[in-house]
Amino acid sequence: RKLAEAHIALTKYVAKMNCATMMPPKVFINHHNQEEGAVDNLLRLSNESRAKMIVVSSRGRYGIDRFVFGSFAEDLLLKSKIPLYFLTYQIADLKEQRSDKILFPTDFSAHSEKAFDLLLSFARSSNLQIILYYAITISPTIMSGDGLVLIPENYYEIQESDANSSAKKWLSKANAAGVETNFTLANLGVGDNVAQEIIRLATKSAVRFIAMASSSGRIGSVFFGSVSREVFRTHLFPVWICGPRALEDEKGAMPQDLV
């Protein structure tokens, strides 16, 4: 009975979307709150339907915190071979309508490049532009005994040169893929305000969503560690993210900086 009621409710919900390309909805029964089984069912369905992305919805104003920090999302991120797209319950205070742009903060690592390659495919099929973002910063914890921050000689010049060199290669790749991509380089100086700058740029550019790459390990120290955690917690923009399985190559090997 509950299965039938759930299916009717879901069918009505999908009908309101008025999307001609929407596939028939499916309802799974999760016995005894076994979240691992729910994850496996969802991944099995995504594999059978050859999905390119899994969209994860909020369960209400505060529900997404409990949901995302729970084991379901953790297992989903670690097991999924395709990117995840986390919706948000809030809307950024944008002065203009959201543009056709995606913000992709990067550290130009190998796993970030693999995520960028996957994002290019999505952006091309959806006719979206990409803003590639790199922030030069230095941790305030690098200090001398008298409290002065120790900055290596020519640190910013070297960082800027390396970033521009990497960006040139990525922009060339995006151009070959037919995706309009622009590079933004920010020198934030000493401090840890990268997340705030990402949100500021996302708001200023009225982006559709923010895209990120995760690395290996548990979700508590990966996706929700440092910058990614702060960006997500604002709930102002949807977040597209590639988990470690999505970053594997055809042979199941990870990029070297994830090993």
Side-chain angles (χ1 to χ4, degrees):
R1 179 181 176 181
K2 289 185 178 180
L3 179 61
E5 292 177 349
H7 192 274
I8 292 174
L10 186 58
T11 300
K12 291 181 178 179
Y13 177 77
V14 171
K16 292 180 180 179
M17 298 182 183
N18 194 29
C19 181
T21 58
M22 183 78 71
M23 296 178 65
K26 292 190 177 182
V27 178
F28 294 103
I29 297 179
N30 188 26
H31 297 286
H32 307 297
N33 293 320
Q34 295 177 349
E35 293 180 341
E36 184 176 356
V39 169
D40 291 340
N41 282 333
L42 180 57
L43 292 178
R44 188 178 303 111
L45 175 61
S46 69
N47 183 57
E48 292 174 354
S49 60
R50 298 182 180 180
K52 299 297 184 181
M53 179 171 61
I54 297 176
V55 180
V56 184
S57 177
S58 164
R59 296 189 298 184
R61 180 173 174 79
Y62 299 104
I64 196 167
D65 286 323
R66 295 192 299 270
F67 177 76
V68 170
F69 282 100
S71 59
F72 181 90
E74 178 175 329
D75 289 341
L76 184 59
L77 178 64
L78 293 176
K79 292 181 178 180
S80 178
K81 294 183 178 181
I82 57 178
L84 305 181
Y85 187 85
F86 291 91
L87 298 175
T88 179
Y89 58 77
Q90 292 186 18
I91 300 177
D93 184 17
L94 305 178
K95 295 182 179 180
E96 55 187 59
Q97 194 173 17
R98 290 185 189 275
S99 66
D100 292 330
K101 297 178 181 179
I102 305 167
L103 177 59
F104 186 78
T106 182
D107 57 359
F108 289 117
S109 59
H111 72 276
S112 184
E113 184 173 10
K114 179 62 183 295
F116 182 70
D117 291 342
L118 294 173
L119 184 64
L120 282 178
S121 177
F122 176 75
R124 181 177 60 248
S125 62
S126 303
N127 196 28
L128 298 173
Q129 303 173 29
I130 298 177
I131 300 174
L132 190 62
Y133 176 79
Y134 180 82
I136 301 176
T137 184
I138 188 167
S139 173
T141 58
I142 305 178
M143 305 179 72
S144 63
D146 55 6
L148 297 177
V149 178
L150 300 177
I151 302 178
E153 185 177 1
N154 299 325
Y155 173 80
Y156 292 111
E157 290 81 0
I158 294 174
Q159 290 289 311
E160 183 175 343
S161 177
D162 289 345
N164 282 322
S165 178
S166 296
K168 184 177 180 180
K169 297 177 182 178
W170 288 32
L171 291 176
S172 177
K173 181 185 299 188
N175 182 62
V179 179
E180 183 177 342
T181 303
N182 297 301
F183 177 53
T184 297
L185 176 64
N187 187 339
L188 304 184
V190 179
D192 189 20
N193 58 344
V194 178
Q196 294 92 321
E197 285 301 308
I198 290 174
I199 293 299
R200 184 193 64 77
L201 179 58
T203 302
K204 178 181 178 181
S205 304
V207 301
R208 288 283 186 88
F209 61 88
I210 299 172
M212 297 180 178
S214 75
S215 56
S216 60
R218 307 305 291 174
I219 195 170
S221 60
V222 182
F223 179 38
F224 293 104
S226 64
V227 175
S228 298
R229 182 189 188 109
E230 292 183 51
V231 169
F232 188 89
R233 277 186 162 180
T234 65
H235 301 299
L236 295 177
F237 293 90
V239 177
W240 177 98
I241 183 169
C242 284
R245 292 295 301 279
L247 297 175
E248 293 177 348
D249 61 20
E250 290 77 9
K251 298 179 180 180
M254 300 294 293
Q256 286 301 307
D257 57 358
L258 291 187
V259 177

